[in-house]
Amino acid sequence: MKKIPMRKCLATNELCPKKDLLRVVKSPEGKVFFDYSSKANGRGAYVKASLEAIDIAEKKGVLNRALETTVPSEVYEALRREVNARKN
């Protein structure tokens, strides 16, 4: 049986399989973006793939603290689009 990689959602503090989470990355150049592939180079932070978790992350600023920078609102919008795309 293959081991399932687990990661912690910063918004809900739940331990979830990596495939059920969305990754936000701060690149070495300082750019912050949603990592579609989950393999981009840089500091990563995970949020559960649910609109509620994304809202909590934005309201509490957990991604800002984890990545030690300000996460632009476009990143949160990209996360919401991805959640909606996964539902359909």
Side-chain angles (χ1 to χ4, degrees):
M1 182 177 212
K2 191 173 181 181
K3 182 181 171 194
I4 299 171
M6 302 292 278
R7 299 291 184 270
K8 192 176 209 177
C9 169
L10 290 175
T12 63
N13 283 322
E14 292 178 62
L15 202 59
C16 302
K18 188 177 173 183
K19 66 178 179 60
D20 295 341
L21 299 169
L22 305 174
R23 185 170 186 246
V24 178
V25 174
K26 178 183 173 188
S27 69
E29 297 80 35
K31 185 174 182 245
V32 179
F33 57 95
F34 167 54
D35 181 13
Y36 291 95
S37 67
S38 293
K39 295 179 181 180
N41 193 21
R43 174 96 175 145
Y46 292 89
V47 177
K48 194 172 178 181
S50 75
L51 295 175
E52 296 82 19
I54 295 167
D55 291 339
I56 292 169
E58 186 172 21
K59 188 165 70 172
K60 291 187 176 180
V62 292
L63 291 176
N64 294 341
R65 285 193 297 277
L67 300 175
E68 299 176 347
T69 189
T70 302
V71 177
S73 59
E74 297 86 42
V75 173
Y76 293 107
E77 291 306 314
L79 293 173
R80 287 184 182 100
R81 282 193 302 273
E82 179 64 20
V83 168
N84 290 329
R86 287 185 181 191
K87 285 182 182 178
N88 297 335

